[in-house]
Every structure is written in C-alpha cells, then in structure tokens.
Amino acid sequence: MKKYVVYSALSVILVAGIFLMSRCTGTKKNGRVSSDAPSRVYVAPGQYDEFYAFLSGGFSGQIGVYGIPSGRLFRVIPVFAQDPEKGWGYTEETKPMLMTSHGFIPWDDAHHPTLSQTNGEHDGRWIFINGNNTPRIARIDLTTFRTQEIIEIPNSAGNHSSPFTTENTEYVVAGTRFSIPFGDGDVPIDSYKQNFKGILSFIKVAKEGKMSIAFQILMPGYDYDLARPGKGKSHGWMFFSTYNSEEANTLKEVNSSQNDKDYIAAVNWKKAEEYIAQNKGKLVSASYYHNTYDDKTHTATSKVEDKVLVLTPEECPGLVYFMPTPKSPHGCDVDPEGELIVGGGKLAAQITCFSFTKMLKAIEDKKIDKTVNGIPVLNYESVLAGEVLNCGLGPLHSEFDGKGFGYTSMFVSSEITKWSTKDFKVVDRIPTYYSIGHLLVPGGDTKKPYGKYVIALNKITKDRYLPTGPELCQSAQLIDITGDKMKLLSDFPTIGEPHYAQAILASTIKDKQVKFFKMEENNHAYKTISPDNAKVVRQGNVVHVYMIAIRSHFTPDNIEGIKVGDEVYFHVTNLEQDWDIPHGFAIKGCQNAELLIMPGETQTLKWEPKTAGMFPMYCTDFCSALHQEMQGYVRVSPAKSKGEVSWGKQE
C-alpha cells in the first residue's frame, strides 16, 4: 500500500506542476516585467558589467563566465573536459590535469561553482567546482581564469554535494551522492544495507590554494545531495542534505521516498580536528590523483596519493548529528547570520528552517529520538525554527538578500518564492520559464549578500527562444529584487545545463588579471627565448621542435627530414609581452587540437605523421594584419629515408 500512496503523491505533484506550467505559458508568458527593464540590463559599448557570474556548464564539464546585468558570455573556462578552442586536455602540458585512477578522463558533469571566502565574504582569489561523475574537485585561479588544480576524491561516487567552502576557505567539502561499498567493491548489490557506505570528504585549502584531503567521515549508506557551511555563530559546522534514508538500491523513484523525513547532517569539523589531534582517525589505503598546473613551467604534473584519513562517528561522539527533514531534501542552505539552516524537501510542500541555536540546545539537553550508526537523530520540534507554508511545489534551493528575506526555487511549480526569515511568511512569488533548479543571489551564500538580483537557472525553455532541433537551450533569468515585488528584467541562453552559479562584484577581480607571463620567469623545460635559439633535434624517432611565435611568423617555419612514424613535439613559445596577444598553432592532419599559447608561455603539440607529403602549419588565432602570412611547411619523407632534419633559414 505504501508504494501506491507514494505513486499517488508524486502524480499529484506532477499534475499540479503541469497545470501551473500551462498557466505560465499562456498570455502572461513574460511574467512581471519591470517597465525599465531595457535600461536596467543595457551595458553601453565600452562600459563594464557590474558582476562576473560563474555558471556551471553541467554536462559540458566547464564553467561559463557571464556579465551581469547584460547576460553576455565572456569566456568558457575549461575544467574537466577537453576544449579544442584552448587546447585544454590536448596539449602535452595540460593532459596530466585530466588523469584519474581510472585513466585519462576527458569529461565530467560539473554542477556547483563556489567562490573562495575570507571572513564569510567572497574574496576573488579562486573558484572551485565539482566533477560529479568521476569524483573530483577543481580550483580555478581568478587572476588567469585557468584551472590550476584538480584533486580526485576516493571512496566516493557521484560527487554532488560539493565543493562548498567554509568561512575562510579552510576547507572545501565533497559528499557522495551514490553510496558504494567501502573497501572491496565486489559485493552483491542486494547487500546494500550491510556493505554500502557514504563518505563526506573535507579537503584542506592552504594559504596559497593547494588542496589536500584532510579527512573523510564514514557515513550510513544514504545519498548525500548538497551542502553549506556554517557562518558567524555556526562557523565550524558543515551541513549536508541527505535522502534515501531507506537505503534502497532499486526503483529508487519509489523505494527511496517512503520515509516522511530524511535528514540534514550537521558535521562539527572543528571537533573532527580535535579527534585527529588525538589520533582517532584511521589511515586507509586509497589510490587517487592530485593534478596541479604551474604558471612558471606552464606545465601540469600528476601525483598519485595512496592513503586517506577516515573518521567513524561511532568512535567520535559529537562529530555528526542528524536533523529530520521533510521530504527527500535536496537543497541545504544557511542564512547570512548563520542561524537558519534551510532544507528544501523536493517532495515536500514546505520550506523547513532549523535553528542553529536550538540545535545546540537540543544537543545539550539530549533531545535525541534515536541513534543511527552512532549518529544521534535530534528531535524535529526541538530544532525547528519555522516552516514556510504555501510556498509552492518542489522547493529546492534558497539564497538570501541580507535584508531579512530568503528566495527559494520551486521546481515543480516553476517559480521563485520570497519569504521572511523572521516570521516565515511568503511575501512574493514570480514565475520562471521553466522548471527552475538552482537560483543565485549575488553573495547570497555569504555573510554580506550584495542582493539586487536573483538569477533563475532553468532546465526547460520551450517557446522562449528560436528552436534548435530536438534539444532547446537552457537559460538564466535576471530578476530585480530591490523593491517589495520581484520584477523580471531579462533572460539569456547558457552553455550546457546550468546547475548552480555564483556572482562577484567585477571590481573585486578585474584589476587583478594577469596580462601576460613574463619571459624571464618562463621555466618550461623546452622554452625558446629568441629566434636564435630555435632548433629541431632528433632523438631516435622522437623529434623536438624548439619554435618561437611572434607577430607575424614562426621560427623555424620550414622543416625537412621528418619521417613517417616519427613522434614530433612542437614546443612553441609565444615571445609577445603584451596583453591579449595569444598565438595559435596547428598542422594539417594532426589528430589533436590546436595550441593556444598565451604571451610569454610555452605549449607543446604532439604530432605523428602517418603518410609522406607536405604539411602546412599556421597560426590559428588572429594576431595582426599579417596573420595569414604566419605559416610554414613540414616535409614528411618515407620511414626509411636517410635525410637529416633541417630547417630553413629565414631571409
């Protein structure tokens, strides 16, 4: 009977969602549009946007950088997926960034970009993002907009509840969406309740940014969905939403939706540090990759780590508590004061708000309903601050404006609900188009939100844009929140499927940009610092071409003596010392991407000619009026030819 009840509840939610969506697609299709919307989003030629917004690329594995309020796409930052435009994952220098314990993985599913913080405010140093499919966390340097580091997460699968940062970026976290067997994975799937475990990983971030896995916490075999750090009074805690407390492993659509309440896990990471100092953790064998990119050598390196420290709640009292949360919670958010912990139960019709103060009191008073795997389950009423009722259907994620209001996305009813954090009353709502997932308030996860806008990140855009075949674009919608009523300003297409996004004032980072890499600091092993140092060197069947690029020629530009079967490495150094003068490099028949070499940088293209002939090479990035003349030739001879390598002298 329970299954039929759940099916019925899901059907009601879906039917209601379809009904509400049909209302949204009628005559009021444009919602509540501000009368001054054009002037609010127009950024005049030569003027700058107020914010950088970093949107996850979802299944593209990348990050999109947009200007707000214009919605203009500035850049796609390659992270977990190869990018032929920039040569990311194709050059010999960047291939190591995509190495994992499963081999070279040139793709991932990137969901949650998260900016670094100092004193609970975005500081503009780095942005982190998760690889969901092959568990990884990446750190991107916001002076170069380049991925500097990727660390793999062992003992995990479906790295979804990550990589949210603590108040001073002491840690970024990674929670496993798919619980898996801890240790030997070769066990029957129907032994799920006995053998499958969840893992919460805390990755330490050093002052200069370098990441390392500090510890992992072994948890029950639930699905850990999203996370947020405490702030202010709750600094030192991390909160994770979790569902599938049923520990189901088949037909989860139904079987993991039986319980009226799942949990938000409250983790006291300062207590974890105390336990580690007392040698409570256990070192466990685990093979995982740690990849870093060096801006001096312009080269990435991979290091294989072999151990990780694991804490077990049964052995560490006070480390983790569960707060019961209706129903199948997805979102988990914390208000600017660090007092409210907000759960978005995607199968609930309410927004559940817990009180951090009440949570501490419930722990002190031992208001515990039961214990699960050594984890106390706190009494719901004892920790509850309030419930936002009549909020809509399918509440997911909440962010805050710093003025006493929360904004929550409603996936099923396709709307944003604005509610008071004081009395938990709904004060406004606005339709979105359609099936909103995450939303973004600039700074909305910090102690001091910028407010001003909320941005809806929508999954569906039927009838909003020109059609593009069976799949339509995803979108973001910019909404003004400066007044009592939310007003739609604009919408714009986005790359991939946007999940989460964060935004930062442009003034925080725009003047910190690296404009070029200094040639005197280039420590690449194959750098060429002047045309006089250009050369071609054969070592057996391996040929190294030491090449320079400068407006508007390569040196050398004509090469002979290459043979079928050779491995040819073009090490191209861009001698420019000016902003925004990259050079490209490509050669006919290369089973690879182009090089895109920044000023002062050295990058390497590997080429293996398969047939004899004449192969043009050229600059792919427009660099000057004589860009078309920036080219040359490589002559490839049969494998048994006796000619030596040579290169033409330029006249």
Side-chain angles (χ1 to χ4, degrees):
M1 179 63 70
K2 275 187 177 180
K3 290 185 180 180
Y4 290 111
V5 170
V6 173
Y7 274 130
S8 177
L10 291 174
S11 299
V12 168
I13 288 174
L14 290 173
V15 169
I18 293 168
F19 170 70
L20 287 167
M21 185 179 289
S22 70
R23 289 175 60 197
C24 290
T25 57
T27 57
K28 296 183 179 179
K29 172 179 154 181
N30 289 321
R32 186 194 295 142
V33 179
S34 174
S35 60
D36 62 347
S39 63
R40 293 287 306 281
V41 300
Y42 178 68
V43 178
Q47 299 300 308
Y48 293 149
D49 278 279
E50 185 178 4
F51 293 95
Y52 288 98
F54 299 91
L55 276 62
S56 67
F59 39 68
S60 78
Q62 319 292 41
I63 294 177
V65 185
Y66 297 80
I68 299 297
S70 72
R72 299 177 295 192
L73 176 64
F74 293 149
R75 186 169 183 81
V76 174
I77 303 174
V79 185
F80 298 113
Q82 289 176 304
D83 183 348
E85 176 193 352
K86 304 172 184 69
W88 181 259
Y90 290 102
T91 70
E92 297 307 296
E93 288 80 4
T94 59
K95 285 178 182 177
M97 293 298 286
L98 302 182
M99 286 300 299
T100 76
S101 59
H102 305 279
F104 181 77
I105 306 292
W107 171 84
D108 217 312
D109 185 17
H111 282 211
H112 304 124
T114 306
L115 290 155
S116 56
Q117 296 188 28
T118 300
N119 297 324
E121 298 179 53
H122 294 155
D123 56 29
R125 290 178 294 167
W126 312 299
I127 191 163
F128 302 86
I129 193 165
N130 60 322
N132 192 28
N133 183 64
T134 303
R136 291 175 277 182
I137 287 179
R139 177 176 59 87
I140 294 91
D141 187 330
L142 291 181
T143 66
T144 59
F145 281 60
R146 175 180 281 168
T147 303
Q148 296 290 131
E149 189 175 11
I150 297 177
I151 192 166
E152 190 178 5
I153 311 299
N155 302 317
S156 181
N159 176 40
H160 192 255
S161 54
S162 69
F164 302 101
T165 63
T166 54
E167 188 173 288
N168 290 295
T169 319
E170 298 96 338
Y171 296 98
V172 295
V173 300
T176 182
R177 173 182 167 189
F178 308 112
S179 287
I180 56 175
F182 185 69
D184 183 9
D186 186 18
V187 299
I189 295 175
D190 64 8
S191 70
Y192 188 104
K193 291 186 178 181
Q194 292 75 42
N195 292 315
F196 286 56
K197 297 293 181 183
I199 280 284
L200 306 179
S201 302
F202 283 70
I203 293 88
K204 190 72 176 174
V205 182
K207 187 173 294 186
E208 75 282 0
K210 186 174 181 181
M211 297 185 292
S212 59
I213 298 178
F215 61 92
Q216 295 184 319
I217 301 175
L218 191 64
M219 298 287 287
Y222 305 159
D223 292 23
Y224 297 84
D225 207 3
L226 281 165
R228 280 294 190 200
K231 55 177 74 81
K233 64 174 68 177
S234 54
H235 178 56
W237 291 77
M238 181 67 70
F239 304 95
F240 295 82
S241 63
T242 179
Y243 62 97
N244 190 27
S245 55
E246 299 85 353
E247 295 186 276
N249 64 78
T250 182
L251 197 60
K252 291 180 71 170
E253 175 186 15
V254 173
N255 292 327
S256 68
S257 302
Q258 299 295 317
N259 295 337
D260 288 334
K261 293 183 176 68
D262 291 287
Y263 301 115
I264 283 178
V267 178
N268 187 338
W269 57 260
K270 286 193 176 289
K271 179 71 72 174
E273 293 176 336
E274 293 175 11
Y275 280 124
I276 291 168
Q278 298 167 16
N279 297 316
K280 290 286 187 180
K282 180 181 178 182
L283 276 175
V284 175
S285 295
S287 179
Y288 59 98
Y289 270 70
H290 187 184
N291 309 321
T292 55
Y293 189 90
D294 188 326
D295 279 332
K296 293 295 195 295
T297 63
H298 307 297
T299 301
T301 56
S302 294
K303 180 181 179 182
V304 180
E305 307 284 359
D306 60 4
K307 285 184 175 58
V308 67
L309 184 68
V310 177
L311 299 174
T312 305
E314 291 96 327
E315 299 173 0
C316 302
L319 178 61
V320 184
Y321 296 90
F322 279 146
M323 294 188 287
T325 309
K327 172 174 186 172
S328 296
H330 184 55
C332 178
D333 299 283
V334 179
D335 78 336
E337 289 73 33
E339 170 62 17
L340 295 181
I341 302 107
V342 180
K346 57 183 181 285
L347 298 183
Q350 66 189 57
I351 302 165
T352 306
C353 303
F354 298 111
S355 162
F356 179 73
T357 302
K358 286 187 174 183
M359 185 193 84
L360 294 183
K361 188 70 165 60
I363 293 170
E364 181 184 352
D365 294 343
K366 296 184 169 49
K367 299 286 188 179
I368 296 167
D369 288 344
K370 61 180 178 178
T371 300
V372 178
N373 290 25
I375 301 171
V377 178
L378 301 175
N379 177 265
Y380 179 72
E381 296 295 336
S382 297
V383 295
L384 184 67
E387 298 171 333
V388 183
L389 304 177
N390 302 313
C391 56
L393 296 176
L396 293 183
H397 307 284
S398 300
E399 295 222 338
F400 306 90
D401 62 7
K403 300 174 184 177
F405 297 102
Y407 300 78
T408 301
S409 55
M410 301 289 164
F411 176 78
V412 176
S413 51
S414 292
E415 60 185 326
I416 293 174
T417 298
K418 178 181 178 181
W419 51 276
S420 168
T421 59
K422 306 303 180 187
D423 61 12
F424 309 106
K425 301 292 186 184
V426 173
V427 298
D428 192 25
R429 60 208 322 144
I430 190 170
T432 59
Y433 306 100
Y434 308 98
S435 296
I436 180 176
H438 279 277
L439 48 66
L440 150 71
V441 173
D445 69 316
T446 71
K447 283 183 176 180
K448 295 182 179 179
Y450 308 120
K452 196 167 187 177
Y453 304 113
V454 62
I455 299 176
L457 302 172
N458 302 317
K459 308 295 186 186
I460 296 172
T461 60
K462 285 179 182 175
D463 76 18
R464 298 296 291 178
Y465 302 99
L466 289 172
T468 53
E471 185 190 17
L472 306 179
C473 62
Q474 287 84 31
S475 76
Q477 292 188 292
L478 182 67
I479 296 167
D480 172 32
I481 59 172
T482 57
D484 292 336
K485 297 292 185 181
M486 294 179 281
K487 295 180 180 180
L488 178 63
L489 296 177
S490 69
D491 51 15
F492 53 93
T494 65
I495 65 166
E497 181 191 351
H499 287 263
Y500 184 48
Q502 289 202 331
I504 189 170
L505 283 170
S507 58
T508 307
I509 60 176
K510 75 178 182 63
D511 296 330
K512 300 177 183 178
Q513 301 302 294
V514 171
K515 296 183 177 180
F516 55 85
F517 297 102
K518 297 178 181 178
M519 276 302 305
E520 62 269 24
E521 295 178 358
N522 184 329
N523 294 324
H524 193 284
Y526 293 94
K527 68 181 178 185
T528 305
I529 60 174
S530 77
D532 295 336
N533 300 115
K535 57 186 176 182
V536 183
V537 177
R538 175 179 288 280
Q539 298 171 339
N541 72 327
V542 175
V543 179
H544 292 280
V545 180
Y546 295 74
M547 178 179 285
I548 64 97
I550 195 166
R551 287 169 286 183
S552 296
H553 63 273
F554 295 112
T555 305
D557 62 356
N558 289 318
I559 301 171
E560 300 190 60
I562 304 300
K563 303 174 186 178
V564 173
D566 282 345
E567 287 184 11
V568 183
Y569 294 88
F570 292 95
H571 309 288
V572 185
T573 301
N574 181 348
L575 295 186
E576 308 285 355
Q577 293 288 270
D578 195 4
W579 196 9
D580 196 29
I581 307 293
H583 286 296
F585 177 83
I587 187 166
K588 179 183 176 183
C590 185
Q591 295 177 330
N592 217 326
E594 65 159 358
L595 295 180
L596 188 62
I597 315 115
M598 297 300 112
E601 185 179 52
T602 302
Q603 292 287 286
T604 302
L605 180 71
K606 180 181 179 181
W607 178 52
E608 297 179 272
K610 306 298 183 185
T611 60
M614 194 65 64
F615 293 83
M617 57 186 181
Y618 68 103
C619 176
T620 54
D621 193 272
F622 194 94
C623 55
S624 72
L626 297 176
H627 164 73
Q628 291 291 93
E629 285 74 15
M630 194 169 176
Q631 63 184 55
Y633 294 94
V634 176
R635 176 188 172 189
V636 177
S637 301
K640 296 184 179 179
S641 300
K642 295 183 179 180
E644 299 297 322
V645 292
S646 62
W647 58 101
K649 301 298 181 183
Q650 293 175 339
E651 300 176 358

